[in-house]
Amino acid sequence: MTPGIIQKKLKRNFYTRELLIVAKELLGKTLVKKDKDQILSGKIVEVEAYDGSMDEAAHTFIGKTKRNEIMFGVGGFLYVYFTYGAHFCSNVVTGEIGHGTAVLIRAIEPIKGMNVLIKNRFNRNLVNEKEKYNLTNGPGKICQAMSINKSHYGIDLTGNQIYLLDATKISDDEIVITKRIGIKKSVDLPWRFYIKNNPFVSKR
DNA sequence: CCACGGATTGGCT
DNA sequence: GCCAATCCGTGGA
């Protein structure tokens, strides 16, 4: 067993709490995707929070649409969106019904299914040491490596296809807080969180 | 190492 | 028609 991981699925009451609390506590948790007998998993090392009530960069800022409606539901569901004509990104919906809040998973550290993650990302088997760190260090890369796409929109994270395993909480002095990256609006909100010195973080 | 720009779909004005 | 919560390749220092 990997140190720090508790083999226990996170329940609804983890997700329904306030956005920034959930965002921070998602660090260190294990993201798991199960397909038949295949398990892909990784430790969450970088996230960003989005809140449509005050945050122009959030997809929910414009109100409810077909694309973002899952974000207005209760916490603990997966919001997957497609962007730049090429990439999917995964978010964990947080809070209570009507909140329009979610946490973007920006980077994970691979744990299980390395060979499959590599195959999905690079379409070949072997990977050199450098490529290992380029596997899941970005929101689009995670979805490509884990084969997460539109068909996973709205999945209940308390179910058994995609879910999170608990882990010991990362202490505040191991968490770096910065502005979010890759956006053009509400650029000053300090809503990006990542694990200090972790080599799988997308950018420092 | 860093900066820049192109790719390419779909959501929204 | 505009442009994006990204990624990758290129070109220069």
Side-chain angles (χ1 to χ4, degrees):
Chain A
M1 287 297 112
T2 310
I5 297 177
I6 301 163
Q7 297 299 319
K8 202 173 172 188
K9 200 177 293 183
L10 294 175
K11 298 198 180 71
R12 186 75 58 208
N13 63 7
F14 174 87
Y15 302 103
T16 53
R17 296 173 301 157
E18 196 271 322
L19 170 68
L20 297 179
I21 302 285
V22 179
K24 261 173 91 165
E25 292 196 14
L26 280 172
L27 293 176
K29 304 292 190 279
T30 307
L31 173 65
V32 183
K33 177 159 180 272
K34 238 187 208 173
D35 289 318
K36 299 182 181 172
D37 55 349
Q38 169 186 280
I39 293 185
L40 304 177
S41 71
K43 171 177 155 179
I44 297 174
V45 301
E46 178 186 351
V47 298
E48 280 177 0
Y50 288 87
D51 178 353
S53 72
M54 49 183 295
D55 167 14
E56 291 186 73
H59 290 166
T60 43
F61 186 73
I62 57 172
K64 192 188 279 191
T65 66
K66 184 163 186 185
R67 178 204 203 193
N68 66 26
E69 60 185 350
I70 195 72
M71 272 183 76
F72 284 103
V74 71
F77 286 77
L78 192 69
Y79 168 48
V80 179
Y81 68 86
F82 181 71
T83 192
Y84 290 101
H87 309 288
F88 292 99
C89 296
S90 294
N91 300 249
V92 173
V93 176
T94 70
E96 301 293 345
I97 290 177
H99 283 193
T101 55
V103 179
L104 173 68
I105 303 177
R106 286 198 55 91
I108 66 174
E109 175 175 338
I111 296 173
K112 287 187 181 170
M114 280 285 283
N115 292 339
V116 176
L117 299 177
I118 292 165
K119 184 90 170 104
N120 289 342
R121 278 274 292 140
F122 304 116
N123 197 31
R124 50 187 161 72
N125 292 318
L126 292 176
V127 72
N128 61 41
E129 191 64 14
K130 201 174 171 186
E131 282 178 320
K132 194 173 102 179
Y133 296 103
N134 190 28
L135 211 45
T136 51
N137 60 339
K141 296 176 189 180
I142 293 171
C143 288
Q144 189 183 8
M146 296 185 98
S147 297
I148 294 173
N149 54 55
K150 192 107 191 169
S151 75
H152 302 99
Y153 179 97
I155 279 182
D156 186 347
L157 296 172
T158 66
N160 54 24
Q161 186 180 6
I162 297 179
Y163 53 88
L164 298 181
L165 294 178
D166 203 357
T168 52
K169 205 189 281 191
I170 307 291
S171 64
D172 280 347
D173 61 357
E174 288 180 273
I175 297 176
V176 179
I177 304 175
T178 73
K179 294 174 183 178
R180 297 173 297 179
I181 58 183
I183 54 173
K184 295 200 175 74
K185 301 171 200 160
S186 301
V187 294
D188 289 327
L189 292 172
W191 285 1
R192 175 171 176 250
F193 306 92
Y194 66 86
I195 299 179
K196 194 180 285 184
N197 297 326
N198 186 287
F200 294 88
V201 167
S202 68
K203 190 168 171 274
R204 293 166 190 271

